[in-house]
Amino acid sequence: MSDDVVHRLSVEGVDPLALAGVNDANLLELARRLGVRVSLRGDSLSLAGPAAAIERAGSVAQALIDLARMGENLDVHDVERLVTEEAGGDGVRPPADPVKIILPGLRRVIQPKTAGQREYLRSIAEHDIVIGIGPAGTGKTYLAVAAAIDALARKRVRRIILARPAVEAGENLGFLPGDLQEKVDPYLRPLYDALEDMMPRERVQKALETRTIEIAPLAYMRGRTLNDAFVILDEAQNATGMQMKMFLTRLGVNSRAVITGDKTQIDLPIREDSGLLQVERILPGIEGIGFVYLGDTDVVRHRLVRDIIRAYAEDAQG
């Protein structure tokens, strides 16, 4: 049409497959969602369509290009997320100094995909204690484990300690066979999974044997002083107030802690006993402690996870 405009963006140095996706799925999704025509030729990505649509699409496309240039393998869920961010009016371009973690032994770079995740990683870098609160699928645990492995690799700490409360998620598991470690391992499996996604399995095993990395139920922390350590308390909504205070007072010299939790998934018999709700009430304002809130726009799992979270939130409101 005569009133259509064409906007070209440079994609020099970008892996075309990483940007476009399999069978150009990412470009097709961008075109479908924003009502523009998209073509990738050589070192140029062209957008054609009405001026208003091109303005929106240009912002989203540039964010996709920037992420692909950083080594991200993108899919249609990333396109959807960036379109949602743009619609929210917060802008979608990654900052000039993107936070990224390059882990030894990994071919890929771990980096935030959303504005909330960027704030989360920045807060971890800038504070001794960070409390990350948000729904499932926002990367709270995954990014915290990545930051811990990065700190260990850079010799900023000498060990990593990962803890979780051993609270059953709404079901009675009954008698579990085996020794004490075998009984608690099912509660800690998500932490093992995150580690093994970032380190070769043999390195994880060696680190566990030498106690460079320790994975333990929260109750095991009592009476200890944790020096030179990066400590993560996962699923903190299921720690009681007393357990949370015990955990926070374990921190020793040159240690930092990340506490993650989801206030919508408290499995304690009495919700108000949650230590996560308690610290949210009494710790804001203390220098060196950062609070980061992630929302459904930060969900990086399957797109339906975000829709499910929203549906449950709307049901809870009435």
Side-chain angles (χ1 to χ4, degrees):
M1 293 177 60
S2 59
D3 59 347
D4 279 3
V5 297
V6 177
H7 182 51
R8 291 184 176 85
L9 298 165
S10 172
V11 294
E12 188 176 358
V14 175
D15 179 353
L17 180 59
L19 175 62
V22 178
N23 295 326
D24 292 339
N26 299 343
L27 304 185
L28 292 171
E29 183 74 1
L30 179 64
R32 184 182 73 82
R33 285 187 165 272
L34 295 177
V36 297
R37 299 187 300 281
V38 184
S39 62
L40 180 60
R41 297 283 186 276
D43 288 339
S44 178
L45 179 72
S46 297
L47 307 172
I54 291 296
E55 185 176 351
R56 290 191 64 198
S59 176
V60 175
Q62 187 61 59
L64 283 169
I65 292 167
D66 290 343
L67 287 170
R69 188 170 277 128
M70 290 180 213
E72 277 288 316
N73 283 316
L74 305 169
D75 60 27
V76 293
H77 303 316
D78 296 303
V79 178
E80 179 187 15
R81 184 167 55 253
L82 290 171
V83 170
T84 302
E85 280 188 34
E86 194 280 336
D90 297 328
V92 294
R93 289 199 61 179
D97 57 335
V99 181
K100 64 172 75 173
I101 297 172
I102 303 173
L103 299 177
L106 270 192
R107 293 182 180 177
R108 60 189 175 83
V109 176
I110 292 178
Q111 60 193 10
K113 286 191 170 185
T114 70
Q117 289 187 344
R118 284 194 287 274
E119 181 189 353
Y120 182 47
L121 278 183
R122 279 212 185 86
S123 189
I124 290 173
E126 295 169 1
H127 297 88
D128 288 336
I129 297 176
V130 171
I131 298 157
I133 298 174
T138 51
K140 302 183 301 294
T141 304
Y142 192 84
L143 292 175
V145 171
I149 295 174
D150 183 53
L152 183 66
R154 294 173 185 270
K155 300 193 184 323
R156 292 173 179 165
V157 297
R158 289 192 303 166
R159 56 183 172 154
I160 297 171
I161 298 172
L162 309 174
R164 262 190 168 203
V167 175
E168 295 167 356
E171 53 188 321
N172 189 343
L173 299 182
F175 173 78
L176 291 172
D179 61 22
L180 191 57
Q181 190 63 43
E182 289 171 327
K183 289 178 190 294
V184 299
D185 270 358
Y187 297 105
L188 307 174
R189 175 45 52 188
L191 297 174
Y192 286 103
D193 291 344
L195 277 177
E196 290 175 0
D197 196 47
M198 298 180 205
M199 296 171 64
R201 180 166 292 194
E202 60 274 10
R203 282 188 54 208
V204 173
Q205 198 56 45
K206 183 177 179 182
L208 291 170
E209 289 170 1
T210 60
R211 299 182 75 81
T212 303
I213 298 177
E214 182 180 348
I215 303 178
L218 176 58
Y220 283 23
M221 299 295 106
R222 188 174 300 279
R224 301 178 60 183
T225 300
L226 307 176
N227 295 320
D228 290 308
F230 196 118
V231 192
I232 298 173
L233 174 57
D234 193 34
E235 298 288 343
Q237 74 276 1
N238 289 329
T240 66
M242 288 185 64
Q243 285 178 323
M244 181 67 78
K245 182 180 178 183
M246 177 272 290
F247 172 81
L248 289 169
T249 54
R250 297 307 93 203
L251 284 187
V253 178
N254 191 41
S255 286
R256 54 182 53 203
V258 177
I259 296 165
T260 73
D262 178 356
K263 293 189 292 183
T264 69
Q265 295 193 27
I266 296 173
D267 298 313
L268 297 171
I270 302 175
R271 175 183 168 84
E272 288 69 29
D273 286 345
S274 171
L276 186 64
L277 299 181
Q278 188 181 77
V279 295
E280 187 183 25
R281 187 174 68 250
I282 66 179
L283 294 187
I286 296 179
E287 188 176 352
I289 299 179
F291 281 81
V292 178
Y293 289 88
L294 298 161
D296 52 31
T297 56
D298 298 302
V299 171
V300 293
R301 290 182 187 164
H302 193 286
R303 66 174 183 81
L304 286 176
V305 174
R306 180 166 62 244
D307 295 339
I308 290 166
I309 289 167
R310 287 175 177 166
Y312 271 92
E314 289 169 4
D315 182 69
Q317 291 169 2

